């Protein structure tokens, strides 16, 4: 009996350690690297916006290549040299400063559901905020700038797998189709495998310079309210 109790105690302790590590989210580092002593670190982004949400089955925004996609819209008011996007699911005990908290997250924050995140960063052909509307967003041409499935920089999910996502995209000033101009963007997210997307998530968008006036929202209506 003593042996069994010792084994159970050890397993419980290991689970507690894992859960603590799983919730630890490091500072969001940019593509700029700096050497400090023997170590080389990624310089943290200056501007970070955090969004807490909950994805539920049947509420997807689109089906792309057979996968159910959800979108978060982003208004960027000025030219940016770089944008970083990362997503972790579930949120669990992850702590961030001054997040945007959606009503869906508030209602489901205690949910243990999570999903294997896959993210994209897309830019639209809408470059002025006065041109933003539901119809304009639907008819706009969206260009995928970058995507990511699994990132070794992100914490593990409760499954023990590093299935959270992170991408960094540097603007190509000489290439109009690849430049990070002022305009309407969106973060697309789904799962790597075809299926339902369900669970809490934390999405963050970051830049190496301050971008006053950035607005992040789940819908165009909510975005317009924040402009």
């Amino acid at each position: 009996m003593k042996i069994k109790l010792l084994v159970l105690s050890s397993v419980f302790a290991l689970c507690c350690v894992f859960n603590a590590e799983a919730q630890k989210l490091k500072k969001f580092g940019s593509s700029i690297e700096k050497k400090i002593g023997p170590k080389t670190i990624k310089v943290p982004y200056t501007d970070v916006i955090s969004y807490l949400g909950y994805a539920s089955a049947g509420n997807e925004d689109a089906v792309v290549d057979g996968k159910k996609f959800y979108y978060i819209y982003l208004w960027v008011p000025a030219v940016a040299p770089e944008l970083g996007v990362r997503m972790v699911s579930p949120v669990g005990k992850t702590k961030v400063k001054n997040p945007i908290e959606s009503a869906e997250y508030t209602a489901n924050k205690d949910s243990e559901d999570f999903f294997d995140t896959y993210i994209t960063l897309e830019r639209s052909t809408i470059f002025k905020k006065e041109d933003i509307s539901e119809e304009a967003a639907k008819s706009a041409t969206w260009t995928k700038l970058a995507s990511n499935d699994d990132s070794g920089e992100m914490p593990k999910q409760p499954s023990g797998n590093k299935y959270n996502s992170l991408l960094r995209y540097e603007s190509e000033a000489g290439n109009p189709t690849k430049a990070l101009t002022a305009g309407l963007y969106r973060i697309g997210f789904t799962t790597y495998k075809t299926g339902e997307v369900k669970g809490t998530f934390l999405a963050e968008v970051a830049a190496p310079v301050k971008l006053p006036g950035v607005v992040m929202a789940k819908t165009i209506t909510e975005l317009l309210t924040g402009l």
Side-chain angles (χ1 to χ4, degrees):
M1 179 63 74
K2 287 183 178 179
I3 293 174
K4 287 183 178 180
L5 287 173
L6 283 171
V7 171
L8 287 172
S9 297
S10 298
V11 171
F12 178 74
L14 286 171
C15 287
C16 289
V17 171
F18 172 74
N19 285 336
E21 290 180 348
Q23 303 299 339
K24 189 175 181 181
L25 192 61
K26 295 179 181 178
K27 286 186 177 180
F28 201 169
S30 68
S31 63
I32 301 169
E33 295 184 338
K34 184 178 181 180
K35 194 167 185 180
I36 300 178
K39 293 183 178 181
T40 299
I41 66 164
K42 290 187 179 295
V43 178
Y45 282 114
T46 302
D47 214 9
V48 181
I49 300 176
S50 303
Y51 182 94
L52 296 171
Y54 179 80
S56 57
N59 287 331
E60 66 274 3
D61 296 303
V63 177
V64 181
D65 297 329
K67 293 184 179 181
K68 297 180 178 181
F69 261 82
Y70 296 70
Y71 295 121
I72 300 172
Y73 293 92
L74 183 73
W75 167 251
V76 178
V79 174
E82 177 178 313
L83 287 178
V85 180
R86 65 180 180 178
M87 178 174 284
V88 59
S89 176
V91 174
K93 295 180 181 179
T94 304
K95 301 294 183 183
V96 291
K97 292 183 179 179
N98 304 316
I100 299 167
E101 187 172 315
S102 69
E104 290 78 13
Y105 173 76
T106 303
N108 296 278
K109 63 171 61 180
D110 294 326
S111 170
E112 296 182 357
D113 293 328
F114 65 94
F115 56 95
D116 175 358
T117 67
Y118 172 86
I119 58 174
T120 62
L121 174 64
E122 301 175 50
R123 191 196 66 185
S124 75
T125 46
I126 300 173
F127 305 109
K128 297 178 181 179
K129 63 181 181 181
E130 54 265 31
D131 294 336
I132 300 174
S133 68
E134 291 278 1
E135 288 304 315
K138 288 178 182 178
S139 60
T141 298
W142 292 89
T143 300
K144 185 168 75 173
L145 301 175
S147 64
N148 180 259
D149 178 24
D150 306 329
S151 172
E153 295 181 52
M154 296 294 284
K156 294 178 181 178
Q157 294 187 318
S159 62
N161 297 312
K162 285 205 168 185
Y163 285 168
N164 289 312
S165 309
L166 182 153
L167 66 84
R168 299 179 184 90
Y169 182 81
E170 294 183 66
S171 181
E172 295 183 25
N175 187 343
T177 62
K178 298 294 183 178
L180 288 171
T181 60
L184 181 65
Y185 293 76
R186 71 184 180 191
I187 302 159
F189 65 94
T190 184
T191 61
Y192 176 70
K193 294 181 180 179
T194 302
E196 297 296 345
V197 183
K198 185 179 181 182
T200 59
F201 65 86
L202 164 66
E204 291 190 318
V205 175
V209 296
K210 284 287 184 181
L211 295 173
V214 172
V215 180
M216 190 174 177
K218 184 66 185 69
T219 66
I220 291 295
T221 300
E222 292 172 341
L223 187 82
L224 290 170
T225 302
L227 289 176

